[in-house]
């Protein structure tokens, strides 16, 4: 066995977001890895409270959450974290309040909506992420807890662009255009799944040479590029696939299991 650890993106890779389903083939793939002695880790943009449907079926050795900003071990103990600074969170709250933009924050194990409750709730319902979702009309939860990312809803993309120009410490990824406007995932510009993986691997003395990674989105690019074997799922764009060593069929077509078996048999024995 050449490699020691495998990282899986969740949405579109290991998990069918729109149907809230973990395919049996995905569970079989995890079982196959464990039989062969691999560590199996989640690498996702989700916070822990939005992993419930997955955790009913699969337990991981480590959790790289919220795009690498919150890292937990298999017992859900914090290994490392990179929250947004208190001042920047305050700026986000004021910006969204002044411009009447939808806003919610992920705090690691809970999500709080601050502005535009129903549009934000509908977005969470569409994405099947209603667990540990709360409303904070006082907009004070961030004063007592660390925020790891913000989700902002706006009809004017230029508003976000201008705010981001004034805050180069932040990054904004477009995550949804089916809402009543544009939905952006906003987090520290230095945070990335690959950065979170590197922080985690220090604790087990692994390097990228020990890794296999599966993903399908632009926030998986660095993870796929740095892993010794990067595998892009079938739903990935050609651009994302260009950073991977291999591509396989989608999660809907037993892609994880079939692709994993072939890769392990051909390249990891």
């Amino acid at each position: 066995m050449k490699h020691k650890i495998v990282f899986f993106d969740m949405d579109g890779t290991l998990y069918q977001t729109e149907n809230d389903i973990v395919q049996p083939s995905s569970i079989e793939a995890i079982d196959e890895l464990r039989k062969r002695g691999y560590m199996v880790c989640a690498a996702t943009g989700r916070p822990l409270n939005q992993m419930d449907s997955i955790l009913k079926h699969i337990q991981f050795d480590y959790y790289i959450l919220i795009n690498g900003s919150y890292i937990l071990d298999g017992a859900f103990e914090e290994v490392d974290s990179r929250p947004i600074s208190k001042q920047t969170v305050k700026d986000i709250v004021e910006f969204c309040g002044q411009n009447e933009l939808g806003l919610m924050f992920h705090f690691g194990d809970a999500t709080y909506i601050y502005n535009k409750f129903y549009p934000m709730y509908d977005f969470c319902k569409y994405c099947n992420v209603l667990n540990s979702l709360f409303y904070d009309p006082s907009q004070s939860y961030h004063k007592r807890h660390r925020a790891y990312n913000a989700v902002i809803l706006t009809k004017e993309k230029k508003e976000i662009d201008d705010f981001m120009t004034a805050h180069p410490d932040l990054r904004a990824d477009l995550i949804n255009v089916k809402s009543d406007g544009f939905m952006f995932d906003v987090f520290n510009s230095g945070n990335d799944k690959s950065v979170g993986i590197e922080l985690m691997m220090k604790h087990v003395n692994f390097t990228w040479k020990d890794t296999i990674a599966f993903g399908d989105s632009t926030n998986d690019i660095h993870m796929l590029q740095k892993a010794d074997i990067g595998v892009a799922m079938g739903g990935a764009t050609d651009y994302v696939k260009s950073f991977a060593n291999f591509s396989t069929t989608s999660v809907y077509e037993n892609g994880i299991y079939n692709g994993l078996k072939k890769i392990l048999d051909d390249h990891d024995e």
Side-chain angles (χ1 to χ4, degrees), residues 42-161:
T44 178
R46 290 173 177 245
L48 184 63
N49 59 294
Q50 295 180 1
M51 294 276 288
D52 283 8
S53 295
I54 298 164
L55 295 179
K56 288 176 183 176
H57 305 284
I58 302 169
Q59 299 295 312
F60 296 92
D61 294 295
Y62 284 90
Y63 299 83
I64 315 301
L65 303 169
I66 320 179
N67 291 314
S69 61
Y70 190 48
I71 300 132
L72 305 177
D73 64 17
F76 304 112
E77 296 293 329
E78 184 175 315
V79 173
D80 216 321
S81 64
R82 295 159 59 93
I84 302 174
S85 74
K86 291 287 187 181
Q87 181 58 53
T88 302
V89 171
K90 181 181 177 182
D91 291 348
I92 292 171
V93 173
E94 291 177 354
F95 164 68
C96 291
Q98 291 168 0
N99 293 280
E100 298 185 346
L101 309 183
L103 172 64
M104 64 182 178
F105 286 106
H106 294 315
F107 294 95
D109 57 359
T111 298
Y112 277 78
I113 295 174
Y114 276 31
N115 300 339
K116 303 282 186 181
F117 176 81
Y118 286 107
M120 303 304 286
Y121 175 87
D122 288 344
F123 168 72
C124 291
K125 186 176 181 180
Y126 164 75
C127 295
N128 292 300
V129 290
L130 293 175
N131 293 328
S132 300
L133 178 68
F134 305 99
Y135 179 49
D136 182 6
S138 70
Q139 299 191 357
S140 62
Y141 196 80
H142 67 281
K143 297 177 182 179
R144 306 183 301 279
H145 301 272
R146 296 176 297 175
Y148 293 95
N149 77 325
V151 178
I152 298 176
L153 171 65
T154 176
K155 293 184 178 180
E156 299 294 334
K157 184 177 180 298
K158 187 177 184 303
E159 293 176 329
I160 287 287
D161 291 340

Side-chain angles (χ1 to χ4, degrees), residues 9 15 40 66 70 77 147 170 189 210-211 253:
D9 168 51
Y15 176 80
V40 181
I66 320 179
Y70 190 48
E77 296 293 329
L170 294 177
S189 59
D210 299 309
T211 65
E253 301 166 341

